[in-house]
Amino acid sequence: MISKLRIGIVCHPSIGGSGLVATQLGIGLAKLGHEVHFIASKRPFKLANEYKNVFFHEVDEVNYPLFDGPLHTYSLTAKIIEVAEEHALDLVHAHYSIPHSLCAHLASNISQHSFPVMTTIHGTDVTIVGQDKAIKRLNTYSMNQCALLTTVSDFQRDYILQEFDIRQPISVVHNFIDSVDFTPDLVDINLRRTLAEDDEKILMHVSNFRPLKNTHTVVKAFSQLQCDSKTKLVLVGSGPDIEKTKLQCQQLGIAERVCFLGSVTKVERFIANADCLIQPSFRESFCMVILEAMSCGVPTVSSNVDGIPEVVDNGKTGYMYPAEDAQSMASAIEHIFSDPAIQQALGQAGRRRAINEFNTDVKIDQYIDCYHHAIALHQQNATAC
Ligand code: GMT
């Protein structure tokens, strides 16, 4: 019989990988009988339903005319204290270090009920935002205060140890996928027909259209395609680079072959109906959307940066190139589109890899092991003081 843990999970509720991973982890923990308390500024986008053993605590923003904006760090810290004391949390798991690890550390120090903090570093909390001079020292401090640090790829672990003065080991728990939710069974000709003609191959890109997602190369590679079959580019998501991307499509004269879908909630319904996914990011600690495509049986063409080579089996589940090598990406896409047998073989290999290497149950068990380790370390430190 497993001992039931009471876990607080702090995460960003927005559409994005770290919030998705945190939510899937919490739901999986609850299904195993653990009590899970999500703490966020609003309900995480994937926590749409009510689950047994899952509780959501909304952060009450503090606004006062004297301040430029809500005092989120104060209000988040206060909410963590409240939930930790009310529910006697065994541990708080902060997803994305900024500002979550600092808030959780402050809360543990202030709370009548002290608890260990475990932080999972997800990406730009160390590679972009985390590199900001004003933040780096604070982020380093809060990461070093954690009972345990984890991250989502071997690359990210090595990067953190190289770039930050971290005085503790960092465990790697790769991200995971629910292969029941993300499945080729979602292929739906009626949905597909809303995106493209039956004789068109669909090249899809999914992102928040921030500069690091490199949508310029997505459009450039698509514009260079020389295929026998007709092709359609479907862009899913929204963000600051959308208008620039629309202009690039017009300038290249391909606007009528590009569909801007905007943000969607069930992205799996769309990814499963793509013939290839293209993700040429400049930075990615892991890249959940590549794993989502693999689980849906869709081949991927991507950059080879950071943690992506730990997700893609190059030549077997997809192809990787330097981030701005649009021509090579175009050639790879042409190769995939040239023969349905090639597309199918890559897609099937991707699904097998997603199921075998990034299995939800295995990764949740790894996180539970980390929790027990963090709790033991916290108890040792408490008795040592
Ligand atoms: O860091 C970000 O850009 C946001 C973050 C998110 O919340 O989506 O993405 C990061 O975490 C994901 C989940 O672990 C990873 O799959 C993404 O690769 C990672 N993004 C980057 O490293 C740029």
Side-chain angles (χ1 to χ4, degrees):
M1 176 63 185
I2 54 167
S3 59
K4 185 174 88 171
L5 293 172
R6 293 179 297 275
I7 302 291
I9 292 184
V10 183
C11 67
H12 290 295
S14 51
I15 290 183
S18 63
L20 170 65
V21 171
T23 305
Q24 304 288 45
L25 170 59
I27 292 168
L29 290 167
K31 283 178 181 171
L32 291 172
H34 302 289
E35 190 178 299
V36 179
H37 294 268
F38 283 96
I39 301 166
S41 52
K42 61 177 191 273
R43 197 173 184 84
F45 78 102
K46 274 289 186 183
L47 195 66
N49 308 316
E50 298 295 331
Y51 294 89
K52 185 170 176 283
N53 298 328
V54 174
F55 305 90
F56 169 62
H57 306 273
E58 184 167 346
V59 174
D60 314 309
E61 290 305 345
V62 174
N63 287 295
Y64 185 70
L66 189 63
F67 307 129
D68 291 341
L71 286 178
H72 184 63
T73 303
Y74 267 70
S75 44
L76 176 57
T77 303
K79 183 57 76 174
I80 297 171
I81 293 168
E82 177 194 312
V83 175
E85 290 177 346
E86 269 182 36
H87 300 279
L89 296 183
D90 294 305
L91 175 139
V92 168
H93 187 178
H95 282 265
Y96 200 87
S97 175
I98 299 168
H100 299 153
S101 61
L102 183 64
C103 294
H105 166 61
L106 287 174
S108 179
N109 280 6
I110 298 166
S111 168
Q112 296 296 324
H113 173 79
S114 171
F115 52 84
V117 176
M118 185 171 112
T119 294
T120 295
I121 311 298
H122 278 276
T124 56
D125 43 356
V126 290
T127 58
I128 298 183
V129 177
Q131 286 295 341
D132 177 287
K133 196 169 177 298
I135 290 180
K136 186 162 189 175
R137 189 172 164 193
L138 212 51
N139 197 21
T140 303
Y141 168 81
S142 61
M143 288 193 284
N144 276 317
Q145 301 310 313
C146 293
L148 202 64
L149 284 177
T150 79
T151 192
V152 298
S153 61
D154 295 339
F155 166 85
Q156 203 64 35
R157 174 202 56 216
D158 298 342
Y159 178 92
I160 299 164
L161 293 172
Q162 174 194 321
E163 289 286 323
F164 291 77
D165 178 19
I166 298 298
R167 303 184 198 113
Q168 59 168 306
I170 299 173
S171 301
V172 175
V173 183
H174 285 96
N175 288 332
F176 49 91
I177 190 80
D178 183 334
S179 56
V180 174
D181 281 353
F182 288 82
T183 168
D185 295 348
L186 290 170
V187 170
D188 171 354
I189 188 64
N190 293 318
L191 181 140
R192 195 187 190 283
R193 284 174 174 158
T194 68
L195 304 173
E197 302 299 327
D198 288 0
D199 62 351
E200 287 181 313
K201 288 284 190 182
I202 295 176
L203 177 66
M204 188 171 285
H205 172 71
V206 181
S207 83
N208 46 30
F209 289 82
R210 293 178 303 178
L212 72 83
K213 298 298 181 179
N214 187 15
T215 47
H216 177 82
T217 297
V218 170
V219 173
K220 189 174 174 188
F222 177 70
S223 71
Q224 291 175 359
L225 285 181
Q226 304 287 330
C227 291
D228 296 339
S229 53
K230 292 195 301 182
T231 54
K232 187 74 172 286
L233 175 61
V234 176
L235 300 174
V236 183
S238 188
D241 280 0
I242 274 287
E243 292 311 318
K244 191 162 71 171
T245 304
K246 286 179 179 174
L247 182 61
Q248 183 188 3
C249 293
Q250 285 156 13
Q251 289 167 339
L252 289 169
I254 58 171
E256 76 287 351
R257 292 196 294 126
V258 181
C259 165
F260 285 84
L261 210 53
S263 296
V264 297
T265 47
K266 290 189 76 65
V267 72
E268 55 270 29
R269 293 181 60 232
F270 297 91
I271 292 177
N273 287 284
D275 295 296
C276 179
L277 180 92
I278 178 169
Q279 298 295 130
S281 301
F282 291 119
R283 299 239 66 145
E284 290 285 3
S285 64
F286 185 90
C287 195
M288 276 303 290
V289 74
I290 288 178
L291 180 58
E292 291 166 352
M294 288 164 62
S295 186
C296 289
V298 175
T300 66
V301 171
S302 68
S303 53
N304 54 12
V305 301
D306 299 355
I308 293 180
E310 295 170 52
V311 185
V312 175
D313 186 347
N314 201 27
K316 299 255 183 25
T317 67
Y319 300 97
M320 297 182 288
Y321 301 98
E324 295 186 292
D325 188 350
Q327 187 49 62
S328 296
M329 290 183 194
S331 302
I333 295 162
E334 289 161 10
H335 175 64
I336 293 168
F337 285 174
S338 68
D339 182 344
I342 293 172
Q343 180 178 331
Q344 188 180 47
L346 290 163
Q348 288 173 347
R351 178 152 176 85
R352 281 195 302 273
R353 181 168 171 78
I355 291 170
N356 297 332
E357 302 301 324
F358 304 100
N359 178 281
T360 297
D361 296 337
V362 169
K363 298 306 179 187
I364 288 177
D365 284 346
Q366 285 179 13
Y367 273 120
I368 292 170
D369 289 345
C370 289
Y371 292 158
H372 287 299
H373 185 41
I375 291 166
L377 288 171
H378 185 72
Q379 285 164 348
Q380 281 168 23
N381 290 341
T383 49
C385 293

